[in-house]
Amino acid sequence: MKPTTVKRLDMFRQVLWAILMLCLWTGVWFDWIEYELFSAFAFQSASWVVIVIAIVFVALSTVIMRPYCHFVCPTD
């Protein structure tokens, strides 16, 4: 990947984290917690949104090594 693309994706991760924390602290959108991708492993209890996002990241992982960990996960 180009360095500029990596930089933009890293910035996306940081902005996403800031938005989610702001929403959590203000109580504006508390339901985002239900969209944790690891809940896709419990297929019966996962929402369709989580399953679609998980499939997208599995597909991306064929091209980019650990895309969720590198560009979305706020704990990275």
Side-chain angles (χ1 to χ4, degrees), residues 48-65:
W48 67 271
V49 174
V50 171
I51 293 170
V52 169
I53 293 171
I55 290 170
V56 167
F57 278 107
V58 167
L60 281 173
S61 69
T62 62
V63 180
I64 303 167
M65 188 169 138

Side-chain angles (χ1 to χ4, degrees), residues 38-47 51:
F38 295 110
S39 67
F41 291 112
F43 192 74
Q44 282 90 10
S45 66
S47 71
I51 293 170

Side-chain angles (χ1 to χ4, degrees), residues 16-35:
L16 178 64
W17 180 83
I19 290 170
L20 292 176
M21 289 300 110
L22 181 65
C23 290
L24 181 65
W25 290 332
T26 60
V28 173
W29 187 44
F30 196 69
D31 294 334
W32 67 269
I33 294 172
E34 294 177 17
Y35 297 114

